[in-house]
Amino acid sequence: MHTFWQRVNAIFFYALSVLGFLALLCAGTTYFHTAHPDVQLGLDRASLRKIMGAGHEQATLRLSIDADLSTVFNWNVKQLFVFITAEYVTKQNKLNQVVVWDHIVTGKEYARIHSSSIVNKYSLTDQGYGLRGNDITLVLHWNTIPITGLLTTTGFRQSVHTFTLEDQYS
């Protein structure tokens, strides 16, 4: 015969298996959800400086962001980690991606981001001298942190902002 603890163990792990299966089904219901966010990125000002002795350049950006990410939210989204990357190409690397700004959106009611004239949170630094006169593309990305299921990253390339950094240091 089975002991009391063997029966408790069997019931517990059967219930755990059922809960895991139900969580998988619930996460699957949001797999086909398509978001249609409205995003506008802009650049108000950019200045470039050379860091003496360190062998690299650093750009300071003044950004404007107008984004409505409320369509990204559904019942399974706990929060969004929103960030802007500056992407550019150099001779050494085919693609350089640098995070210049980030923000955490904790609910659908806070999914409207409207900020004008904000300075980049993280410096746009190139380990070398690849920024001067280069084309930079700003792209908004977000990580979806679900209640259950997989963490996903989305890059919204329908609305990007491209600009060329100046040839002179400020």
Side-chain angles (χ1 to χ4, degrees), residues 8-72:
V8 169
N9 185 42
I11 291 171
F12 176 75
F13 281 102
Y14 176 74
L16 192 64
S17 299
V18 169
L19 284 175
F21 179 72
L22 290 175
L24 183 67
L25 282 178
C26 288
T29 63
T30 61
Y31 181 72
F32 298 105
H33 173 76
T34 55
H36 303 287
D38 182 27
V39 176
Q40 298 296 322
L41 293 176
L43 178 76
D44 298 334
R45 185 173 164 265
S47 63
L48 182 66
R49 66 184 182 140
K50 182 178 183 179
I51 308 298
M52 296 296 191
H56 62 269
E57 298 172 315
Q58 185 177 39
T60 303
L61 309 175
R62 183 157 291 182
L63 308 168
S64 62
I65 305 161
D66 189 14
D68 184 9
L69 301 173
S70 59
T71 60
V72 176

Side-chain angles (χ1 to χ4, degrees), residues 1 10 16 19 30 39 42 44 51 55 75-76 89 98 102 111 135 138 140-141 144 161:
M1 290 301 293
L16 192 64
L19 284 175
T30 61
V39 176
D44 298 334
I51 308 298
W75 73 268
N76 194 29
V89 177
V98 180
D102 66 8
D135 292 332
L138 299 174
L140 184 84
H141 303 267
T144 304
H161 182 77

Side-chain angles (χ1 to χ4, degrees), residues 73 77-80 103-110:
F73 278 85
V77 176
K78 182 177 180 181
Q79 65 184 18
L80 296 176
H103 182 68
I104 296 175
V105 179
T106 56
K108 189 173 186 175
E109 60 275 8
Y110 305 111

